[in-house]
Amino acid sequence: MTESPMIQPVTPPTGSGSRWAQGDWHVDKAMLGMAMRFRVVVDGVRDLGHWSSCRGLSVSFEHEEIECGGNYENVVILPKRMKYGTITLQRAVKSGDTQMLEGWLRQVRDDWYGYEFGQAEYSGATAEIILMDAHNNRVHSWSLRGVFPRNWKGPDLDADTNKVALETLELAHQGFY
């Protein structure tokens, strides 16, 4: 009868210089982004607040494959366009944050149609999605250019449910910078 090997417990490192001895064994010094901690700032000054969900932060590199006669080993890859995903933000309706968002949407509307009255045509905003760590320190940010609000959806109101009222904002953009 063969005995199964026993799993040995991991012994923490010893010595006064080890992180374990300093009581810091459970905290990594690297700042890790928390997926639920981020905020969105438009044009560097208008903070649209914290959101509970951000989807669509992506880029696709389109290409065309060309088969060349006499080359049986590989295809030639020609770059085409880069396509950026629509950013979808969602959160609970909150008085101050929702008012800031509505103010920005009104400004975009006024700028969007302002060219008809001699103003410059709306060319899109800049936006920054800022990822925070567990201590609300900035970990990383994505800067977007040519940002256009694509869609805003208010909450579904229903007296038969006790769900949190959610708002959703979709942002189209022309890329990262």
Side-chain angles (χ1 to χ4, degrees), residues 68-142:
C68 298
N71 180 355
Y72 302 106
E73 185 176 333
N74 62 322
V75 295
V76 176
I77 298 174
L78 298 176
K80 291 173 85 174
R81 286 192 170 79
M82 294 170 36
K83 288 192 175 179
Y84 298 92
T86 298
I87 307 295
T88 303
L89 302 166
Q90 190 174 51
R91 68 174 171 204
V93 174
K94 184 179 171 190
S95 180
D97 289 346
T98 299
Q99 288 173 350
M100 287 291 286
L101 174 60
E102 288 174 351
W104 179 63
L105 292 173
R106 277 192 298 276
Q107 177 190 347
V108 169
R109 178 202 60 205
D110 294 345
D111 293 347
W112 196 298
Y113 294 115
Y115 74 94
E116 295 176 359
F117 304 108
Q119 297 174 0
E121 186 173 348
Y122 181 73
S123 59
T126 60
E128 186 176 24
I129 300 171
I130 304 165
L131 180 65
M132 314 299 261
D133 69 4
H135 304 287
N136 265 353
N137 297 316
R138 174 191 220 120
V139 174
H140 187 72
S141 66
W142 292 268

XYZ file of all heavy atoms in Angstrom, residues 68-142:
607
model
N -0.098 35.825 -50.758
C 0.801 36.133 -51.866
C 1.189 34.844 -52.583
O 1.485 33.837 -51.935
C 2.073 36.812 -51.349
S 1.762 38.380 -50.541
N 1.181 34.910 -53.888
C 1.571 33.746 -54.676
C 3.014 33.360 -54.411
O 3.896 34.208 -54.319
N 3.267 32.092 -54.234
C 4.620 31.598 -54.005
C 5.008 31.602 -52.527
O 6.017 31.017 -52.159
N 4.242 32.263 -51.684
C 4.533 32.273 -50.254
C 3.563 31.298 -49.595
O 2.399 31.610 -49.373
C 4.356 33.683 -49.681
C 4.657 33.752 -48.200
O 4.912 32.750 -47.557
N 4.621 34.957 -47.668
N 4.044 30.112 -49.272
C 3.190 29.075 -48.700
C 3.327 28.991 -47.177
O 2.695 28.177 -46.540
C 3.519 27.713 -49.326
C 3.340 27.740 -50.829
C 4.435 27.752 -51.680
C 2.070 27.788 -51.380
C 4.268 27.795 -53.054
C 1.895 27.832 -52.757
C 2.993 27.833 -53.579
O 2.821 27.888 -54.933
N 4.165 29.853 -46.616
C 4.448 29.780 -45.180
C 3.513 30.650 -44.340
O 3.098 30.266 -43.258
C 5.896 30.205 -44.929
C 6.326 30.053 -43.500
C 7.789 30.396 -43.307
O 8.577 30.268 -44.261
O 8.117 30.802 -42.203
N 3.192 31.823 -44.815
C 2.368 32.733 -44.023
C 1.607 33.683 -44.934
O 1.850 33.750 -46.130
C 3.229 33.525 -43.030
C 4.251 34.405 -43.727
O 4.825 34.020 -44.733
N 4.466 35.586 -43.215
N 0.687 34.434 -44.332
C -0.034 35.469 -45.062
C 0.526 36.819 -44.639
O 1.079 36.965 -43.544
C -1.553 35.419 -44.772
C -2.154 34.130 -45.290
C -1.843 35.593 -43.310
N 0.386 37.785 -45.508
C 0.802 39.148 -45.192
C -0.356 39.829 -44.472
O -1.501 39.748 -44.912
C 1.183 39.926 -46.474
C 1.521 41.373 -46.153
C 2.337 39.230 -47.182
N -0.050 40.486 -43.360
C -1.087 41.165 -42.582
C -0.952 42.669 -42.798
O 0.095 43.255 -42.527
C -0.963 40.816 -41.086
C -1.169 39.312 -40.891
C -1.949 41.623 -40.255
C -0.933 38.836 -39.487
N -2.019 43.265 -43.332
C -2.041 44.707 -43.554
C -2.939 45.369 -42.516
O -4.103 44.981 -42.352
C -2.561 45.034 -44.955
C -1.736 44.509 -46.128
C -2.438 44.839 -47.442
C -0.347 45.116 -46.106
N -2.424 46.355 -41.799
C -3.262 47.029 -40.807
C -4.350 47.860 -41.467
O -4.146 48.438 -42.531
C -2.281 47.913 -40.035
C -1.105 48.063 -40.913
C -1.074 46.881 -41.828
N -5.514 47.904 -40.816
C -6.617 48.743 -41.283
C -6.933 49.762 -40.194
O -6.050 50.500 -39.805
C -7.831 47.865 -41.623
C -7.614 46.994 -42.869
C -8.734 46.039 -43.091
C -9.856 46.684 -43.846
N -10.923 45.745 -44.203
N -8.112 49.744 -39.701
C -8.527 50.724 -38.686
C -8.482 50.139 -37.288
O -8.547 48.942 -37.096
C -9.954 51.187 -38.956
C -10.052 52.106 -40.116
C -11.429 52.752 -40.163
N -11.463 53.812 -41.125
C -11.579 53.652 -42.420
N -11.672 52.450 -42.919
N -11.597 54.685 -43.229
N -8.427 51.066 -36.335
C -8.611 50.691 -34.940
C -10.016 51.128 -34.555
O -10.448 52.218 -34.908
C -7.568 51.393 -34.062
C -6.167 50.921 -34.371
S -4.813 51.853 -33.630
C -5.366 52.326 -32.053
N -10.729 50.250 -33.866
C -12.085 50.571 -33.426
C -12.131 50.517 -31.905
O -11.647 49.558 -31.301
C -13.112 49.602 -34.011
C -13.337 49.819 -35.482
C -14.548 49.055 -35.951
C -14.828 49.378 -37.403
N -15.978 48.653 -37.909
N -12.717 51.543 -31.332
C -12.792 51.652 -29.880
C -14.205 51.327 -29.422
O -15.181 51.770 -30.006
C -12.403 53.068 -29.448
C -10.991 53.394 -29.841
C -10.705 54.009 -31.055
C -9.935 53.055 -29.009
C -9.401 54.297 -31.425
C -8.625 53.328 -29.377
C -8.362 53.952 -30.582
O -7.079 54.221 -30.944
N -14.292 50.561 -28.350
C -15.582 50.154 -27.810
C -16.318 51.315 -27.171
O -15.722 52.262 -26.665
N -17.629 51.241 -27.194
C -18.463 52.227 -26.515
C -18.368 51.968 -25.009
O -18.533 50.840 -24.559
C -19.929 52.102 -26.982
O -19.977 52.371 -28.391
C -20.830 53.074 -26.248
N -18.090 53.006 -24.251
C -17.992 52.901 -22.796
C -19.402 53.001 -22.226
O -20.132 53.949 -22.517
C -17.124 54.037 -22.211
C -15.756 54.108 -22.900
C -17.007 53.908 -20.701
C -14.880 52.936 -22.702
N -19.788 52.028 -21.410
C -21.095 52.038 -20.756
C -20.885 52.152 -19.257
O -20.260 51.280 -18.643
C -21.886 50.758 -21.086
O -22.010 50.642 -22.510
C -23.266 50.794 -20.462
N -21.380 53.243 -18.689
C -21.267 53.505 -17.255
C -22.636 53.356 -16.622
O -23.643 53.741 -17.215
C -20.758 54.929 -17.022
C -19.412 55.286 -17.657
C -19.200 56.783 -17.635
C -18.293 54.569 -16.935
N -22.658 52.817 -15.414
C -23.929 52.668 -14.714
C -23.717 52.926 -13.226
O -22.671 52.590 -12.673
C -24.497 51.268 -14.921
C -25.918 51.117 -14.420
C -26.489 49.762 -14.784
O -25.874 48.734 -14.529
N -27.666 49.769 -15.386
N -24.734 53.513 -12.594
C -24.682 53.779 -11.158
C -26.077 54.063 -10.623
O -27.016 54.317 -11.381
C -23.775 54.973 -10.853
C -24.353 56.284 -11.354
C -23.524 57.453 -10.917
N -23.975 58.671 -11.573
C -23.215 59.714 -11.763
N -21.965 59.689 -11.374
N -23.687 60.780 -12.343
N -26.163 54.102 -9.303
C -27.402 54.499 -8.647
C -27.563 56.011 -8.803
O -26.583 56.752 -8.802
C -27.359 54.126 -7.169
N -28.801 56.453 -8.952
C -29.079 57.890 -9.047
C -28.763 58.512 -7.695
O -29.243 58.051 -6.658
C -30.552 58.139 -9.443
C -30.884 59.616 -9.397
C -30.828 57.567 -10.816
N -27.915 59.539 -7.722
C -27.511 60.250 -6.509
C -27.602 61.731 -6.813
O -27.094 62.189 -7.835
C -26.093 59.841 -6.129
C -25.596 60.435 -4.849
C -24.193 59.937 -4.556
C -23.597 60.698 -3.399
N -22.176 60.405 -3.247
N -28.197 62.485 -5.958
C -28.534 63.882 -6.217
C -27.399 64.692 -6.854
O -27.534 65.178 -7.960
C -28.988 64.554 -4.913
O -29.314 65.901 -5.158
N -26.290 64.846 -6.185
C -25.211 65.691 -6.698
C -24.586 65.169 -7.978
O -24.359 65.916 -8.930
N -24.295 63.850 -8.011
C -23.656 63.258 -9.189
C -24.565 63.327 -10.411
O -24.119 63.647 -11.516
C -23.272 61.804 -8.921
C -22.105 61.668 -7.946
O -21.423 62.681 -7.690
O -21.878 60.557 -7.450
N -25.843 63.034 -10.231
C -26.776 63.055 -11.355
C -26.972 64.482 -11.864
O -27.062 64.704 -13.079
C -28.116 62.418 -10.953
O -27.854 61.052 -10.571
C -29.103 62.417 -12.099
N -26.983 65.458 -10.974
C -27.100 66.857 -11.402
C -25.878 67.287 -12.204
O -26.001 68.011 -13.196
C -27.298 67.768 -10.190
C -28.667 67.635 -9.570
C -28.794 68.415 -8.272
O -27.820 68.914 -7.715
N -30.019 68.506 -7.774
N -24.676 66.854 -11.791
C -23.454 67.169 -12.553
C -23.535 66.562 -13.948
O -23.182 67.211 -14.935
C -22.216 66.648 -11.824
C -21.841 67.440 -10.607
S -21.221 69.077 -11.019
C -19.605 68.671 -11.631
N -23.996 65.330 -14.028
C -24.128 64.659 -15.322
C -25.121 65.390 -16.211
O -24.846 65.648 -17.385
C -24.545 63.196 -15.135
C -24.845 62.429 -16.413
C -23.632 62.381 -17.324
C -25.336 61.027 -16.089
N -26.277 65.744 -15.663
C -27.273 66.463 -16.453
C -26.746 67.809 -16.919
O -27.024 68.235 -18.045
C -28.554 66.638 -15.638
C -29.319 65.346 -15.455
C -30.514 65.502 -14.531
O -30.678 66.561 -13.885
O -31.300 64.538 -14.447
N -25.966 68.487 -16.090
C -25.353 69.755 -16.488
C -24.404 69.572 -17.660
O -24.387 70.373 -18.601
N -23.596 68.498 -17.620
C -22.679 68.238 -18.727
C -23.451 67.900 -19.994
O -23.113 68.384 -21.084
C -21.717 67.108 -18.381
C -20.774 66.783 -19.503
C -19.826 67.613 -20.040
C -20.718 65.577 -20.255
N -19.174 66.971 -21.074
C -19.704 65.728 -21.214
C -21.415 64.387 -20.190
C -19.373 64.716 -22.120
C -21.081 63.379 -21.086
C -20.074 63.546 -22.041
N -24.512 67.104 -19.878
C -25.308 66.760 -21.061
C -25.970 67.999 -21.660
O -26.048 68.137 -22.881
C -26.353 65.695 -20.711
C -25.799 64.310 -20.367
C -26.912 63.390 -19.885
C -25.055 63.705 -21.538
N -26.430 68.925 -20.824
C -27.007 70.183 -21.336
C -25.944 71.008 -22.068
O -26.200 71.571 -23.125
C -27.603 71.011 -20.194
C -29.001 70.603 -19.806
C -29.664 71.612 -18.881
N -28.964 71.757 -17.613
C -29.129 70.954 -16.564
N -29.975 69.947 -16.642
N -28.460 71.162 -15.451
N -24.735 71.049 -21.507
C -23.649 71.787 -22.157
C -23.319 71.181 -23.517
O -23.138 71.900 -24.493
C -22.399 71.781 -21.276
C -21.211 72.464 -21.913
C -19.927 72.238 -21.140
O -19.939 71.775 -20.003
N -18.807 72.557 -21.763
N -23.259 69.855 -23.584
C -22.991 69.179 -24.856
C -24.098 69.490 -25.852
O -23.829 69.796 -27.016
C -22.847 67.653 -24.655
C -22.834 66.922 -25.989
C -21.586 67.349 -23.867
N -25.350 69.440 -25.407
C -26.477 69.757 -26.298
C -26.334 71.172 -26.850
O -26.480 71.404 -28.056
C -27.794 69.629 -25.535
C -29.011 69.989 -26.397
C -30.214 70.369 -25.570
N -29.908 71.517 -24.736
C -30.537 71.807 -23.598
N -31.487 71.028 -23.149
N -30.212 72.872 -22.911
N -26.036 72.131 -25.981
C -25.897 73.517 -26.421
C -24.732 73.671 -27.399
O -24.845 74.359 -28.410
C -25.713 74.446 -25.223
C -26.941 74.496 -24.337
O -28.028 74.043 -24.771
O -26.807 74.970 -23.180
N -23.605 73.021 -27.107
C -22.447 73.081 -28.006
C -22.724 72.341 -29.304
O -22.263 72.741 -30.377
C -21.210 72.484 -27.329
C -20.723 73.320 -26.159
O -21.180 74.470 -26.008
O -19.881 72.810 -25.386
N -23.461 71.248 -29.225
C -23.753 70.423 -30.387
C -24.518 71.232 -31.433
O -24.238 71.149 -32.617
C -24.585 69.226 -29.943
C -24.674 68.089 -30.914
C -25.204 68.118 -32.164
C -24.224 66.761 -30.695
N -25.140 66.879 -32.738
C -24.536 66.022 -31.855
C -23.620 66.116 -29.640
C -24.240 64.673 -31.978
C -23.331 64.772 -29.772
C -23.631 64.062 -30.920
N -25.501 72.001 -30.976
C -26.315 72.783 -31.903
C -25.851 74.219 -32.033
O -26.408 74.974 -32.816
C -27.786 72.756 -31.465
C -28.383 71.378 -31.574
C -28.796 70.685 -30.448
C -28.515 70.766 -32.811
C -29.338 69.416 -30.553
C -29.044 69.498 -32.924
C -29.452 68.832 -31.796
O -29.979 67.568 -31.898
N -24.829 74.609 -31.292
C -24.359 75.985 -31.301
C -23.781 76.432 -32.628
O -23.802 77.628 -32.948
N -23.262 75.491 -33.424
C -22.667 75.880 -34.702
C -23.703 76.514 -35.627
O -23.375 77.295 -36.517
C -21.985 74.692 -35.383
C -22.917 73.688 -35.994
C -23.272 73.780 -37.334
C -23.441 72.638 -35.247
C -24.133 72.856 -37.908
C -24.298 71.716 -35.808
C -24.643 71.831 -37.131
O -25.491 70.922 -37.694
N -24.976 76.194 -35.413
C -26.033 76.796 -36.229
C -26.172 78.293 -35.938
O -26.735 79.029 -36.726
C -27.364 76.095 -35.968
C -27.374 74.649 -36.406
C -28.669 73.945 -36.043
O -29.557 74.570 -35.439
O -28.793 72.754 -36.371
N -25.666 78.710 -34.787
C -25.778 80.112 -34.384
C -24.421 80.801 -34.395
O -24.202 81.768 -33.678
C -26.413 80.195 -32.987
C -27.740 79.499 -32.908
C -27.867 78.312 -32.214
C -28.853 80.018 -33.564
C -29.092 77.655 -32.153
C -30.073 79.373 -33.503
C -30.190 78.182 -32.805
N -23.492 80.284 -35.176
C -22.202 80.924 -35.338
C -21.126 80.458 -34.384
O -20.006 80.950 -34.442
N -21.425 79.525 -33.509
C -20.408 79.006 -32.602
C -19.644 77.879 -33.286
O -20.046 77.362 -34.325
C -21.056 78.487 -31.317
C -21.768 79.556 -30.520
C -22.523 78.953 -29.333
O -22.520 77.758 -29.117
N -23.176 79.819 -28.572
N -18.520 77.496 -32.698
C -17.725 76.400 -33.255
C -18.497 75.086 -33.124
O -19.260 74.899 -32.178
C -16.399 76.296 -32.522
N -18.289 74.197 -34.072
C -18.957 72.888 -34.041
C -18.395 72.047 -32.907
O -17.203 72.077 -32.620
C -18.742 72.181 -35.374
C -19.514 70.892 -35.505
C -19.403 70.297 -36.901
O -18.930 70.985 -37.806
O -19.792 69.135 -37.052
N -19.255 71.280 -32.258
C -18.824 70.417 -31.152
C -17.893 69.343 -31.691
O -18.234 68.615 -32.607
C -20.044 69.774 -30.485
C -19.694 68.894 -29.315
C -19.283 69.449 -28.118
C -19.762 67.516 -29.412
C -18.957 68.657 -27.034
C -19.447 66.708 -28.342
C -19.045 67.283 -27.155
O -18.727 66.487 -26.078
N -16.701 69.272 -31.140
C -15.724 68.312 -31.648
C -15.437 67.199 -30.654
O -14.487 66.447 -30.835
C -14.425 69.043 -32.003
O -13.918 69.689 -30.847
N -16.228 67.101 -29.620
C -16.019 66.051 -28.634
C -15.219 66.554 -27.452
O -14.461 67.507 -27.546
N -15.393 65.893 -26.362
C -14.706 66.260 -25.132
C -13.545 65.298 -24.897
O -13.321 64.372 -25.670
C -15.698 66.179 -23.961
N -12.816 65.541 -23.847
C -11.865 64.560 -23.358
C -12.469 63.975 -22.083
O -13.251 64.638 -21.402
C -10.492 65.185 -23.036
O -10.660 66.182 -22.026
C -9.867 65.789 -24.278
N -12.133 62.762 -21.785
C -12.623 62.135 -20.556
C -11.514 61.270 -19.996
O -10.636 60.792 -20.726
C -13.870 61.299 -20.820
N -11.560 61.109 -18.697
C -10.573 60.276 -18.018
C -11.318 59.344 -17.063
O -12.131 59.794 -16.257
C -9.588 61.149 -17.252
C -8.452 60.401 -16.635
C -7.446 61.322 -15.966
O -7.803 62.446 -15.579
O -6.299 60.883 -15.809
N -11.044 58.063 -17.203
C -11.589 57.068 -16.284
C -10.455 56.728 -15.330
O -9.401 56.253 -15.753
C -12.083 55.820 -17.031
C -13.181 56.217 -18.022
C -12.574 54.760 -16.054
C -13.592 55.118 -18.967
N -10.668 57.008 -14.050
C -9.598 56.901 -13.053
C -9.886 55.717 -12.138
O -10.908 55.688 -11.450
C -9.492 58.197 -12.231
C -9.280 59.380 -13.164
C -8.367 58.092 -11.209
C -9.502 60.722 -12.522
N -8.971 54.755 -12.132
C -9.082 53.566 -11.291
C -8.380 53.831 -9.964
O -7.269 54.356 -9.935
C -8.438 52.371 -12.004
C -8.452 51.035 -11.279
C -9.883 50.529 -11.104
C -7.621 50.025 -12.051
N -9.049 53.484 -8.858
C -8.521 53.735 -7.520
C -8.194 52.416 -6.817
O -8.749 51.371 -7.156
C -9.552 54.492 -6.683
C -10.214 55.655 -7.391
S -9.076 56.910 -7.890
C -9.311 58.057 -6.574
N -7.318 52.493 -5.807
C -7.035 51.317 -4.987
C -7.939 51.320 -3.754
O -8.844 52.150 -3.627
C -5.551 51.247 -4.609
C -5.112 52.342 -3.643
O -5.964 53.134 -3.181
O -3.911 52.400 -3.344
N -7.691 50.419 -2.826
C -8.533 50.285 -1.639
C -8.487 51.511 -0.744
O -9.359 51.719 0.083
C -8.116 49.046 -0.850
N -7.449 52.340 -0.891
C -7.309 53.550 -0.077
C -7.671 54.815 -0.853
O -7.313 55.909 -0.454
C -5.882 53.653 0.453
C -5.461 52.447 1.231
N -5.931 52.160 2.483
C -4.637 51.417 0.907
C -5.406 51.033 2.910
N -4.628 50.552 1.969
N -8.359 54.656 -1.983
C -8.762 55.755 -2.869
C -7.588 56.517 -3.469
O -7.697 57.702 -3.770
C -9.731 56.718 -2.179
C -11.163 56.380 -2.478
O -11.450 55.516 -3.298
N -12.066 57.064 -1.830
N -6.467 55.840 -3.646
C -5.322 56.417 -4.358
C -5.420 56.013 -5.821
O -5.818 54.898 -6.140
C -3.999 55.909 -3.774
C -3.818 56.325 -2.343
O -4.077 57.471 -1.986
N -3.396 55.398 -1.504
N -5.008 56.926 -6.701
C -5.036 56.661 -8.136
C -4.056 55.535 -8.481
O -2.903 55.585 -8.106
C -4.660 57.952 -8.859
C -4.515 57.809 -10.324
C -3.879 59.089 -10.908
N -4.530 59.376 -12.135
C -5.199 60.466 -12.411
N -5.281 61.411 -11.542
N -5.785 60.625 -13.566
N -4.549 54.529 -9.201
C -3.711 53.424 -9.657
C -3.366 53.605 -11.131
O -2.214 53.522 -11.531
C -4.420 52.064 -9.454
C -3.614 50.931 -10.060
C -4.670 51.822 -7.984
N -4.373 53.880 -11.936
C -4.181 54.044 -13.378
C -5.361 54.841 -13.922
O -6.418 54.915 -13.296
C -4.115 52.679 -14.073
C -3.746 52.756 -15.513
N -2.481 53.069 -15.944
C -4.486 52.591 -16.630
C -2.459 53.082 -17.276
N -3.673 52.787 -17.708
N -5.169 55.425 -15.077
C -6.288 56.116 -15.715
C -6.224 55.900 -17.215
O -5.158 55.655 -17.773
C -6.280 57.604 -15.377
O -5.144 58.222 -15.937
N -7.377 55.970 -17.830
C -7.498 55.879 -19.284
C -8.027 57.223 -19.766
O -9.106 57.663 -19.358
C -8.455 54.764 -19.682
C -7.923 53.411 -19.353
C -7.184 52.593 -20.164
C -8.081 52.708 -18.119
N -6.880 51.437 -19.509
C -7.411 51.482 -18.242
C -8.710 53.004 -16.905
C -7.360 50.555 -17.218
C -8.664 52.077 -15.880
C -7.989 50.880 -16.048
